[in-house]
Amino acid sequence: MPSRRPLERQLLLGFVLPVLAIITVTVFSLLAFSEYRLGAQAVTHTHSVIDQVRTLQLAERQWALQPDEAAEKNFNREWGRTFALLQDNPAQQRRLEQWRSGLFELRDASVTARLQRNLAVAQEMVDVEKAVLASRRAVTQDRINAAQWAVVIGLPLTALFGAALGLRLLSRVRSLTVPLLRATARVQSGDLSVRVPVSGQDELSVIAAHFNDMTASLQKTLREQQLMQRTLEDQVSSLVQASTTELQVLSQLGVFMQACDAQSEAAEVIARVAPALFPVGGSVSLLVESRNMLERLAVWGDVPAGGTWLPEECWASRLGTDHAAGPDLNTPRCRHDRSEGGTLCLTLSAQGETLGVVTLAFPDGQSALDAQDLARRFADRLALSLANLRLKETLRHQSVRDSLTGLYNRRYFEETGVRELARAERQGQPLSVLMLDVDHFKQFNDVHGHAVGDMVLRRLGHVLGRLFREEDVVCRYGGEEFVLLLPNCGSEAAQERAEALRVAAEALILAAPDSGGLTVTVSVGVTTIAGDRSDLAALVRQADQALYRAKAQGRNRVVVHRAVD
């Protein structure tokens, strides 16, 4: 750091030197005044001595002219006064004593001789006093001249030095204050790049250096804040974009899942939408109807397809909470998990019922923990959609299925029959309709009870479901009557299959509480169109007419409707 002594020394010098100059002038003035006062006193004393010498001469003259006791006393008195005045000058006192002694030595001489002798002594004393007076006046004048020169020269020099030092300090201060004021104005306007020039090593240069350090620090802090603000804005933008993407994907998942009619469609939707949120991979497994096993519904990414596993193989299923595992976590892996990275298992629960488990794959365990909130929202949306789909399938099943036999009901037959009939006409393919009735079914109910009658219908429904193709439509038409729609099946093939059905039904042996075994026989009416234009009601009437003829001919037989009949 630059030393702060130079400016302090200049300020101290500018204060001390004028003070010293004033003190010096004052001292010289006081000395001159003191010398002047002493000189004045010396002049007065000298004049007093000269006057007293003249007085003593007069007393001597009077005593010489009138030598009486009074004149002698007067002379002695004046001599004593003169001697007292000369106490600071022993030489003069000796001359005065010489004067007196000479007076007594020449007592017998003439008056003129005595006066003449002492006149020389008196004149010598006066000359000595005048010489002392002149010397004192010269010393006093020298002191006064020195004081005058000190005032005349010292004060202007002091003033000139003070002015020069003041101008120097003013220039130095202005060299900082002017740039500093301009710099502060620019800083106030927001320009932190301004710097004040640093010159010298005094306190002002320290102030300038500190100002530059302050603006540099503020500029650095501002850049850091701006960088932090841009980073924060980017992060917020990324979060908003990610949240928007997540919301869009989840909304898209909900929309498509709501429009699904079967779990197979839902599996395809999940496999296509889920990678947008969890690109590494994952799977959705649902509990089977027995609820003792989970079966994979949909998979995506690096996850093997298919497979079943037990609920107790998953920690999420056992604990009823989300479970994350990975090489960097101290939690155990689920037994159904064969991956090496991070895994997150979440239960699918909706409407108070557990539907299955979602298993998501991540690069590591920490990534699984970071995505847990998003995964939970995904699982909740998926669980609700699957629950709605299951409810929709249940309602659809109940609306088109017969509750006793599990076969399609008459409503489904009428809806599907029109569609199959139009397809057969469009493609020029044959379409056959089989109408069958349980022979003597009323006796089962009357003799053995309705429970046995229901058992007959269930067993017959099982036989129908086993014998016919998946694309065939097997329906319970009403009571003990059944109707079958066989697409792309000609008359001969339909007759053969009807005969196989009759034989299979006759082979049924049913156990009843009051009988060792009951047999069941059916009568079947068959009709076929070969791409001709027709309607479903006409086909049903034709098959029904063939059925009546089979019953009229003795039951337990197959009769084919022919146009010539």
PDB file of all heavy atoms in Angstrom, residues 92-114:
ATOM      1  N   GLN A  92      33.835  54.485  36.982  1.00  0.00           N
ATOM      2  CA  GLN A  92      33.353  55.820  37.226  1.00  0.00           C
ATOM      3  C   GLN A  92      33.375  56.129  38.723  1.00  0.00           C
ATOM      4  O   GLN A  92      33.672  57.273  39.129  1.00  0.00           O
ATOM      5  CB  GLN A  92      31.937  55.974  36.676  1.00  0.00           C
ATOM      6  CG  GLN A  92      31.846  56.015  35.143  1.00  0.00           C
ATOM      7  CD  GLN A  92      32.346  57.332  34.579  1.00  0.00           C
ATOM      8  OE1 GLN A  92      33.601  57.590  34.545  1.00  0.00           O
ATOM      9  NE2 GLN A  92      31.426  58.178  34.155  1.00  0.00           N
ATOM     10  N   GLN A  93      33.073  55.096  39.531  1.00  0.00           N
ATOM     11  CA  GLN A  93      33.139  55.334  40.998  1.00  0.00           C
ATOM     12  C   GLN A  93      34.567  55.660  41.429  1.00  0.00           C
ATOM     13  O   GLN A  93      34.792  56.529  42.302  1.00  0.00           O
ATOM     14  CB  GLN A  93      32.611  54.096  41.725  1.00  0.00           C
ATOM     15  CG  GLN A  93      31.111  53.950  41.657  1.00  0.00           C
ATOM     16  CD  GLN A  93      30.590  52.743  42.446  1.00  0.00           C
ATOM     17  OE1 GLN A  93      31.374  51.812  42.746  1.00  0.00           O
ATOM     18  NE2 GLN A  93      29.300  52.752  42.784  1.00  0.00           N
ATOM     19  N   ARG A  94      35.546  55.009  40.781  1.00  0.00           N
ATOM     20  CA  ARG A  94      36.940  55.309  41.152  1.00  0.00           C
ATOM     21  C   ARG A  94      37.297  56.744  40.745  1.00  0.00           C
ATOM     22  O   ARG A  94      38.036  57.463  41.460  1.00  0.00           O
ATOM     23  CB  ARG A  94      37.877  54.301  40.472  1.00  0.00           C
ATOM     24  CG  ARG A  94      37.853  52.925  41.127  1.00  0.00           C
ATOM     25  CD  ARG A  94      38.997  52.074  40.640  1.00  0.00           C
ATOM     26  NE  ARG A  94      38.949  51.810  39.207  1.00  0.00           N
ATOM     27  CZ  ARG A  94      38.310  50.804  38.646  1.00  0.00           C
ATOM     28  NH1 ARG A  94      37.651  49.939  39.397  1.00  0.00           N
ATOM     29  NH2 ARG A  94      38.318  50.661  37.346  1.00  0.00           N
ATOM     30  N   ARG A  95      36.808  57.154  39.587  1.00  0.00           N
ATOM     31  CA  ARG A  95      37.073  58.536  39.192  1.00  0.00           C
ATOM     32  C   ARG A  95      36.422  59.501  40.157  1.00  0.00           C
ATOM     33  O   ARG A  95      36.980  60.571  40.473  1.00  0.00           O
ATOM     34  CB  ARG A  95      36.558  58.769  37.760  1.00  0.00           C
ATOM     35  CG  ARG A  95      37.360  58.047  36.706  1.00  0.00           C
ATOM     36  CD  ARG A  95      36.857  58.450  35.323  1.00  0.00           C
ATOM     37  NE  ARG A  95      37.551  57.691  34.274  1.00  0.00           N
ATOM     38  CZ  ARG A  95      37.102  56.558  33.754  1.00  0.00           C
ATOM     39  NH1 ARG A  95      35.926  56.063  34.161  1.00  0.00           N
ATOM     40  NH2 ARG A  95      37.791  55.948  32.836  1.00  0.00           N
ATOM     41  N   LEU A  96      35.188  59.107  40.613  1.00  0.00           N
ATOM     42  CA  LEU A  96      34.502  59.992  41.552  1.00  0.00           C
ATOM     43  C   LEU A  96      35.255  60.073  42.869  1.00  0.00           C
ATOM     44  O   LEU A  96      35.368  61.170  43.489  1.00  0.00           O
ATOM     45  CB  LEU A  96      33.071  59.489  41.770  1.00  0.00           C
ATOM     46  CG  LEU A  96      32.169  60.389  42.614  1.00  0.00           C
ATOM     47  CD1 LEU A  96      31.987  61.761  41.941  1.00  0.00           C
ATOM     48  CD2 LEU A  96      30.782  59.728  42.795  1.00  0.00           C
ATOM     49  N   GLU A  97      35.798  58.955  43.296  1.00  0.00           N
ATOM     50  CA  GLU A  97      36.593  58.974  44.529  1.00  0.00           C
ATOM     51  C   GLU A  97      37.876  59.789  44.325  1.00  0.00           C
ATOM     52  O   GLU A  97      38.346  60.515  45.245  1.00  0.00           O
ATOM     53  CB  GLU A  97      36.942  57.538  44.941  1.00  0.00           C
ATOM     54  CG  GLU A  97      35.731  56.770  45.459  1.00  0.00           C
ATOM     55  CD  GLU A  97      36.084  55.343  45.806  1.00  0.00           C
ATOM     56  OE1 GLU A  97      37.219  54.902  45.491  1.00  0.00           O
ATOM     57  OE2 GLU A  97      35.207  54.603  46.348  1.00  0.00           O
ATOM     58  N   GLN A  98      38.475  59.683  43.117  1.00  0.00           N
ATOM     59  CA  GLN A  98      39.657  60.492  42.808  1.00  0.00           C
ATOM     60  C   GLN A  98      39.312  61.973  42.875  1.00  0.00           C
ATOM     61  O   GLN A  98      40.096  62.806  43.339  1.00  0.00           O
ATOM     62  CB  GLN A  98      40.192  60.092  41.423  1.00  0.00           C
ATOM     63  CG  GLN A  98      41.441  60.848  41.023  1.00  0.00           C
ATOM     64  CD  GLN A  98      41.907  60.460  39.618  1.00  0.00           C
ATOM     65  OE1 GLN A  98      41.287  59.617  38.969  1.00  0.00           O
ATOM     66  NE2 GLN A  98      43.002  61.106  39.174  1.00  0.00           N
ATOM     67  N   TRP A  99      38.095  62.274  42.375  1.00  0.00           N
ATOM     68  CA  TRP A  99      37.632  63.679  42.432  1.00  0.00           C
ATOM     69  C   TRP A  99      37.575  64.157  43.861  1.00  0.00           C
ATOM     70  O   TRP A  99      38.098  65.245  44.199  1.00  0.00           O
ATOM     71  CB  TRP A  99      36.261  63.729  41.758  1.00  0.00           C
ATOM     72  CG  TRP A  99      35.701  65.124  41.649  1.00  0.00           C
ATOM     73  CD1 TRP A  99      36.157  66.294  42.178  1.00  0.00           C
ATOM     74  CD2 TRP A  99      34.525  65.468  40.944  1.00  0.00           C
ATOM     75  NE1 TRP A  99      35.392  67.353  41.869  1.00  0.00           N
ATOM     76  CE2 TRP A  99      34.327  66.858  41.059  1.00  0.00           C
ATOM     77  CE3 TRP A  99      33.593  64.759  40.157  1.00  0.00           C
ATOM     78  CZ2 TRP A  99      33.257  67.535  40.483  1.00  0.00           C
ATOM     79  CZ3 TRP A  99      32.543  65.448  39.588  1.00  0.00           C
ATOM     80  CH2 TRP A  99      32.356  66.788  39.726  1.00  0.00           C
ATOM     81  N   ARG A 100      37.059  63.378  44.773  1.00  0.00           N
ATOM     82  CA  ARG A 100      36.876  63.807  46.168  1.00  0.00           C
ATOM     83  C   ARG A 100      38.226  63.906  46.890  1.00  0.00           C
ATOM     84  O   ARG A 100      38.499  64.861  47.653  1.00  0.00           O
ATOM     85  CB  ARG A 100      35.964  62.821  46.886  1.00  0.00           C
ATOM     86  CG  ARG A 100      35.634  63.246  48.303  1.00  0.00           C
ATOM     87  CD  ARG A 100      34.670  62.250  48.897  1.00  0.00           C
ATOM     88  NE  ARG A 100      34.296  62.650  50.250  1.00  0.00           N
ATOM     89  CZ  ARG A 100      33.481  62.010  51.060  1.00  0.00           C
ATOM     90  NH1 ARG A 100      32.913  60.866  50.597  1.00  0.00           N
ATOM     91  NH2 ARG A 100      33.209  62.467  52.274  1.00  0.00           N
ATOM     92  N   SER A 101      39.020  62.846  46.611  1.00  0.00           N
ATOM     93  CA  SER A 101      40.331  62.871  47.281  1.00  0.00           C
ATOM     94  C   SER A 101      41.170  64.062  46.826  1.00  0.00           C
ATOM     95  O   SER A 101      41.926  64.666  47.591  1.00  0.00           O
ATOM     96  CB  SER A 101      41.053  61.548  47.020  1.00  0.00           C
ATOM     97  OG  SER A 101      41.310  61.400  45.650  1.00  0.00           O
ATOM     98  N   GLY A 102      41.069  64.400  45.569  1.00  0.00           N
ATOM     99  CA  GLY A 102      41.802  65.550  45.051  1.00  0.00           C
ATOM    100  C   GLY A 102      41.348  66.840  45.684  1.00  0.00           C
ATOM    101  O   GLY A 102      42.117  67.787  45.876  1.00  0.00           O
ATOM    102  N   LEU A 103      40.056  66.870  46.006  1.00  0.00           N
ATOM    103  CA  LEU A 103      39.509  68.066  46.643  1.00  0.00           C
ATOM    104  C   LEU A 103      40.124  68.275  47.999  1.00  0.00           C
ATOM    105  O   LEU A 103      40.463  69.387  48.391  1.00  0.00           O
ATOM    106  CB  LEU A 103      37.985  67.952  46.710  1.00  0.00           C
ATOM    107  CG  LEU A 103      37.246  69.156  47.282  1.00  0.00           C
ATOM    108  CD1 LEU A 103      37.467  70.403  46.380  1.00  0.00           C
ATOM    109  CD2 LEU A 103      35.743  68.866  47.401  1.00  0.00           C
ATOM    110  N   PHE A 104      40.342  67.238  48.739  1.00  0.00           N
ATOM    111  CA  PHE A 104      40.908  67.381  50.087  1.00  0.00           C
ATOM    112  C   PHE A 104      42.415  67.592  50.022  1.00  0.00           C
ATOM    113  O   PHE A 104      43.000  68.215  50.892  1.00  0.00           O
ATOM    114  CB  PHE A 104      40.587  66.108  50.916  1.00  0.00           C
ATOM    115  CG  PHE A 104      39.148  66.081  51.370  1.00  0.00           C
ATOM    116  CD1 PHE A 104      38.238  65.281  50.728  1.00  0.00           C
ATOM    117  CD2 PHE A 104      38.711  66.876  52.422  1.00  0.00           C
ATOM    118  CE1 PHE A 104      36.921  65.234  51.133  1.00  0.00           C
ATOM    119  CE2 PHE A 104      37.386  66.835  52.824  1.00  0.00           C
ATOM    120  CZ  PHE A 104      36.481  66.016  52.177  1.00  0.00           C
ATOM    121  N   GLU A 105      43.046  67.008  48.975  1.00  0.00           N
ATOM    122  CA  GLU A 105      44.492  67.211  48.852  1.00  0.00           C
ATOM    123  C   GLU A 105      44.832  68.659  48.539  1.00  0.00           C
ATOM    124  O   GLU A 105      45.886  69.175  48.909  1.00  0.00           O
ATOM    125  CB  GLU A 105      45.058  66.294  47.743  1.00  0.00           C
ATOM    126  CG  GLU A 105      45.033  64.841  48.125  1.00  0.00           C
ATOM    127  CD  GLU A 105      45.494  63.954  46.992  1.00  0.00           C
ATOM    128  OE1 GLU A 105      45.752  64.487  45.864  1.00  0.00           O
ATOM    129  OE2 GLU A 105      45.562  62.693  47.145  1.00  0.00           O
ATOM    130  N   LEU A 106      43.968  69.343  47.782  1.00  0.00           N
ATOM    131  CA  LEU A 106      44.211  70.723  47.390  1.00  0.00           C
ATOM    132  C   LEU A 106      43.409  71.691  48.255  1.00  0.00           C
ATOM    133  O   LEU A 106      42.927  72.745  47.793  1.00  0.00           O
ATOM    134  CB  LEU A 106      43.849  70.920  45.899  1.00  0.00           C
ATOM    135  CG  LEU A 106      44.663  70.097  44.892  1.00  0.00           C
ATOM    136  CD1 LEU A 106      44.100  70.330  43.482  1.00  0.00           C
ATOM    137  CD2 LEU A 106      46.119  70.480  44.939  1.00  0.00           C
ATOM    138  N   ARG A 107      43.226  71.360  49.525  1.00  0.00           N
ATOM    139  CA  ARG A 107      42.414  72.207  50.388  1.00  0.00           C
ATOM    140  C   ARG A 107      43.063  73.611  50.530  1.00  0.00           C
ATOM    141  O   ARG A 107      42.383  74.641  50.587  1.00  0.00           O
ATOM    142  CB  ARG A 107      42.264  71.540  51.782  1.00  0.00           C
ATOM    143  CG  ARG A 107      41.400  72.340  52.765  1.00  0.00           C
ATOM    144  CD  ARG A 107      41.295  71.603  54.071  1.00  0.00           C
ATOM    145  NE  ARG A 107      40.600  70.360  53.909  1.00  0.00           N
ATOM    146  CZ  ARG A 107      39.276  70.223  54.039  1.00  0.00           C
ATOM    147  NH1 ARG A 107      38.562  71.267  54.321  1.00  0.00           N
ATOM    148  NH2 ARG A 107      38.743  69.058  53.897  1.00  0.00           N
ATOM    149  N   ASP A 108      44.440  73.570  50.613  1.00  0.00           N
ATOM    150  CA  ASP A 108      45.126  74.859  50.826  1.00  0.00           C
ATOM    151  C   ASP A 108      45.390  75.605  49.518  1.00  0.00           C
ATOM    152  O   ASP A 108      45.893  76.758  49.531  1.00  0.00           O
ATOM    153  CB  ASP A 108      46.472  74.615  51.538  1.00  0.00           C
ATOM    154  CG  ASP A 108      46.241  74.022  52.950  1.00  0.00           C
ATOM    155  OD1 ASP A 108      45.180  74.342  53.540  1.00  0.00           O
ATOM    156  OD2 ASP A 108      47.092  73.256  53.401  1.00  0.00           O
ATOM    157  N   ALA A 109      45.095  74.951  48.368  1.00  0.00           N
ATOM    158  CA  ALA A 109      45.327  75.623  47.097  1.00  0.00           C
ATOM    159  C   ALA A 109      44.249  76.627  46.830  1.00  0.00           C
ATOM    160  O   ALA A 109      43.218  76.668  47.524  1.00  0.00           O
ATOM    161  CB  ALA A 109      45.412  74.589  45.976  1.00  0.00           C
ATOM    162  N   SER A 110      44.493  77.337  45.748  1.00  0.00           N
ATOM    163  CA  SER A 110      43.492  78.326  45.397  1.00  0.00           C
ATOM    164  C   SER A 110      42.244  77.641  44.869  1.00  0.00           C
ATOM    165  O   SER A 110      42.265  76.491  44.440  1.00  0.00           O
ATOM    166  CB  SER A 110      44.058  79.259  44.322  1.00  0.00           C
ATOM    167  OG  SER A 110      44.334  78.546  43.138  1.00  0.00           O
ATOM    168  N   VAL A 111      41.184  78.429  44.910  1.00  0.00           N
ATOM    169  CA  VAL A 111      39.901  77.902  44.443  1.00  0.00           C
ATOM    170  C   VAL A 111      39.992  77.553  42.976  1.00  0.00           C
ATOM    171  O   VAL A 111      39.498  76.552  42.510  1.00  0.00           O
ATOM    172  CB  VAL A 111      38.787  78.916  44.714  1.00  0.00           C
ATOM    173  CG1 VAL A 111      37.488  78.446  44.113  1.00  0.00           C
ATOM    174  CG2 VAL A 111      38.639  79.180  46.195  1.00  0.00           C
ATOM    175  N   THR A 112      40.717  78.428  42.277  1.00  0.00           N
ATOM    176  CA  THR A 112      40.796  78.193  40.827  1.00  0.00           C
ATOM    177  C   THR A 112      41.542  76.908  40.544  1.00  0.00           C
ATOM    178  O   THR A 112      41.170  76.118  39.661  1.00  0.00           O
ATOM    179  CB  THR A 112      41.489  79.382  40.149  1.00  0.00           C
ATOM    180  OG1 THR A 112      40.798  80.599  40.470  1.00  0.00           O
ATOM    181  CG2 THR A 112      41.587  79.199  38.649  1.00  0.00           C
ATOM    182  N   ALA A 113      42.592  76.675  41.280  1.00  0.00           N
ATOM    183  CA  ALA A 113      43.380  75.445  41.056  1.00  0.00           C
ATOM    184  C   ALA A 113      42.576  74.189  41.369  1.00  0.00           C
ATOM    185  O   ALA A 113      42.616  73.213  40.648  1.00  0.00           O
ATOM    186  CB  ALA A 113      44.688  75.514  41.904  1.00  0.00           C
ATOM    187  N   ARG A 114      41.835  74.303  42.465  1.00  0.00           N
ATOM    188  CA  ARG A 114      41.031  73.102  42.817  1.00  0.00           C
ATOM    189  C   ARG A 114      39.943  72.846  41.772  1.00  0.00           C
ATOM    190  O   ARG A 114      39.696  71.722  41.375  1.00  0.00           O
ATOM    191  CB  ARG A 114      40.411  73.270  44.214  1.00  0.00           C
ATOM    192  CG  ARG A 114      41.442  73.127  45.343  1.00  0.00           C
ATOM    193  CD  ARG A 114      40.758  73.188  46.687  1.00  0.00           C
ATOM    194  NE  ARG A 114      40.196  74.510  46.916  1.00  0.00           N
ATOM    195  CZ  ARG A 114      39.438  74.847  47.929  1.00  0.00           C
ATOM    196  NH1 ARG A 114      39.108  73.949  48.830  1.00  0.00           N
ATOM    197  NH2 ARG A 114      38.993  76.081  48.033  1.00  0.00           N
TER     198      ARG A 114
END
